[in-house]
C-alpha cells in the first residue's frame, strides 16, 4: 500500500466494489439479452422448417417409388394385352370358345389397365402437389435460416460489446487491486464479495444505517466511524464500511 492513507484505501476499495458491481450487472445483462432469446426462437423455427422439409421429401420419395412401380406394372400389363391381341389376330386360333375366352381376357385386362392408368394419373397429380409443397417449405426454410443467421449476428455483436465492456472493467478493477497490493484487506474483500451476494463494501446510509444490512448503528459507533481513520466493518453483516 505504500503511501496510501486509510481513507485512500477505503476509497479505492469502494471503487473496486463499484467496478465489481458493474461487472456483475453486465454479466447478468448478457444472460438476459433479448438477442439471445431471439436466437433461440429463430433456431427453433429453423429446426421445425427442416423437419417439415425432410418429412415431405420422404413422402415424395415414397410416392415416386410407388408411381414408378405402377409404371412397371402397367408396362407388363400392356405387354400381356398386346400378346393376347396378337393371339386373337394371328388366325391360328379357330375354336370359337377359345376365341371368346381370349376376347374376355382382353376386355378384363384393358379394364384393369384403365383403372391402373387412372391411379397413375392421380398419383402424378399428388406428386406435383407434393413437389409444390416441398418447394414452399424449402423457401420457408431458407427464410428461417436467414433470420437465424441474422439473430446470431446480432447476438454475437451484443455479446462481444458486453464482453469487451467486462474486460475493460476488470482491467480497471485489477489495476486498483494492484494499488492495494496483496493484502489481507483485499482477501477479505474478495471473500466478502463471494459471501455477501457481490456486495462487500458499503456506505453508511442516512448517517446511521449500514448500507448492506441496514442495521442502525449506535451513536458511539457513528462517532468512531466519523472521526477515526481506518477501515471499518459493520459489526452485524461484517461488510466493509466506507465514508
Ligand atoms: Zn451491515
Amino acid at each position: 500500500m505504500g503511501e496510501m492513507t486509510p481513507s485512500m484505501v477505503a476509497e479505492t476499495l469502494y471503487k473496486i466494489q463499484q467496478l465489481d458491481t458493474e461487472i456483475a450487472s453486465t454479466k447478468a445483462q448478457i444472460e438476459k439479452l433479448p438477442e439471445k432469446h431471439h436466437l433461440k426462437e429463430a433456431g427453433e423455427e429453423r429446426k421445425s422448417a427442416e423437419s417439415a422439409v425432410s418429412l415431405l421429401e420422404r413422402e415424395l420419395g415414397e410416392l415416386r417409388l410407388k408411381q414408378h412401380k405402377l409404371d412397371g406394372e402397367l408396362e407388363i400389363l400392356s405387354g400381356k394385352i398386346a400378346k393376347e391381341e396378337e393371339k386373337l389376330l394371328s388366325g391360328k386360333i379357330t375354336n370359337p370358345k377359345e376365341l371368346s375366352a381370349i376376347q374376355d381376357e382382353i376386355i378384363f385386362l384393358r379394364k384393369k389397365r384403365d383403372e391402373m392408368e387412372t391411379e397413375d394419373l392421380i398419383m402424378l397429380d399428388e406428386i406435383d402437389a407434393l413437389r409444390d409443397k416441398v418447394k414452399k417449405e424449402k423457401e420457408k426454410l431458407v427464410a428461417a435460416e436467414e433470420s437465424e443467421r441474422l439473430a446470431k449476428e446480432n447476438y454475437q455483436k451484443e455479446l462481444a460489446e458486453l464482453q469487451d465492456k467486462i474486460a475493460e472493467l476488470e482491467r480497471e478493477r485489477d489495476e486498483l487491486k494492484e494499488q492495494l497490493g496483496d493484502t489481507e484487506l483485499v482477501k477479505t474483500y474478495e471473500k466478502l464479495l463471494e459471501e455477501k451476494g457481490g456486495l462487500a463494501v458499503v456506505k453508511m446510509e442516512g448517517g446511521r444505517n449500514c448500507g448492506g444490512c441496514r442495521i442502525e448503528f449506535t451513536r458511539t459507533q457513528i462517532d468512531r466511524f466519523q472521526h477515526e481513520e481506518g477501515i471499518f466493518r459493520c459489526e452485524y453483516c461484517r461488510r466493509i464500511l466506507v465514508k
Side-chain angles (χ1 to χ4, degrees), residues 12-13 16 19-20 170-183 186-187 189-190 193:
T12 305
L13 259 186
I16 291 171
L19 289 166
D20 269 328
E170 280 175 346
R171 207 177 54 235
E172 226 179 297
R173 177 201 61 191
D174 292 344
E175 269 174 29
L176 291 177
K177 270 190 184 174
E178 234 167 86
Q179 287 177 22
L180 295 179
D182 187 20
T183 55
V186 172
K187 281 180 201 145
Y189 168 79
E190 280 163 358
L193 197 69

Side-chain angles (χ1 to χ4, degrees), residues 50-68:
E50 260 172 9
S51 63
V53 167
S54 80
L55 200 75
L56 286 171
E57 275 183 334
R58 200 165 58 219
E59 214 179 304
L60 183 60
E62 279 165 11
L63 198 58
R64 272 184 175 141
L65 212 67
K66 236 169 114 185
Q67 194 269 331
H68 188 70

Side-chain angles (χ1 to χ4, degrees), residues 2-240:
E3 312 112 37
M4 284 179 104
T5 63
S7 66
M8 279 163 77
V9 169
E11 206 176 301
T12 305
L13 259 186
Y14 188 66
K15 276 186 198 154
I16 291 171
Q17 172 68 73
Q18 282 177 310
L19 289 166
D20 269 328
T21 300
E22 206 179 340
I23 288 166
S25 79
T26 311
K27 282 179 180 169
Q29 211 183 325
I30 285 178
E31 286 311 304
K32 281 184 258 155
L33 270 181
E35 285 77 5
K36 192 179 181 181
H37 181 68
H38 294 159
L39 179 59
K40 197 172 162 249
E41 272 184 348
E44 275 159 13
E45 264 167 48
R46 191 253 313 143
K47 268 187 224 152
S48 96
E50 260 172 9
S51 63
V53 167
S54 80
L55 200 75
L56 286 171
E57 275 183 334
R58 200 165 58 219
E59 214 179 304
L60 183 60
E62 279 165 11
L63 198 58
R64 272 184 175 141
L65 212 67
K66 236 169 114 185
Q67 194 269 331
H68 188 70
K69 212 179 138 207
L70 189 63
D71 271 352
E73 284 167 8
L74 261 170
E75 210 175 303
I76 291 168
L77 192 59
S78 292
K80 250 188 199 170
I81 292 168
K83 235 183 193 170
E84 294 298 315
E85 283 172 340
E86 209 187 299
K87 243 197 263 174
L88 193 68
L89 300 171
S90 68
K92 284 176 192 162
I93 296 155
T94 47
N95 183 332
K97 243 186 174 178
E98 217 176 312
L99 283 173
S100 158
I102 293 171
Q103 272 169 338
D104 285 351
E105 175 70 3
I106 289 171
I107 289 167
F108 170 76
L109 292 176
R110 277 185 181 155
K111 196 170 165 256
K112 201 175 169 198
R113 185 175 60 185
D114 281 350
E115 281 167 12
M116 279 166 76
E117 273 171 351
T118 305
E119 199 187 333
D120 196 40
L121 285 176
I122 290 170
M123 242 185 241
L124 285 171
D125 277 350
E126 279 174 2
I127 287 172
D128 273 350
L130 212 49
R131 210 189 277 136
D132 280 351
K133 263 195 195 169
V134 168
K135 197 178 157 230
K136 272 182 199 135
E137 283 300 327
K138 275 188 175 165
E139 282 165 5
K140 270 194 211 167
L141 176 59
V142 168
E145 281 169 345
E146 176 63 8
S147 27
E148 187 183 23
R149 196 188 60 74
L150 280 175
K152 198 170 187 176
E153 216 175 81
N154 286 338
Y155 172 62
Q156 282 170 342
K157 193 172 150 257
E158 290 291 322
L159 186 66
E161 275 170 21
L162 292 174
Q163 281 170 340
D164 284 352
K165 185 182 168 190
I166 289 172
E168 173 66 30
L169 292 166
E170 280 175 346
R171 207 177 54 235
E172 226 179 297
R173 177 201 61 191
D174 292 344
E175 269 174 29
L176 291 177
K177 270 190 184 174
E178 234 167 86
Q179 287 177 22
L180 295 179
D182 187 20
T183 55
E184 273 308 309
L185 186 63
V186 172
K187 281 180 201 145
T188 302
Y189 168 79
E190 280 163 358
K191 199 163 158 260
L192 279 171
L193 197 69
E194 221 181 281
E195 287 170 359
K196 305 287 177 187
L199 193 61
V201 182
V202 293
K203 289 204 172 189
M204 184 95 83
E205 265 180 8
R208 55 184 180 184
N209 291 89
C210 167
C213 69
R214 313 259 182 266
I215 199 88
E216 195 174 329
F217 296 117
T218 63
R219 193 66 248 163
T220 323
Q221 284 170 324
I222 295 165
D223 279 347
R224 262 194 60 214
F225 179 69
Q226 280 171 345
H227 300 111
E228 286 177 25
E229 286 265 301
I231 299 297
F232 290 87
R233 304 271 300 268
C234 169
E235 286 177 21
Y236 306 96
C237 69
R238 306 302 300 149
R239 286 188 176 93
I240 298 164

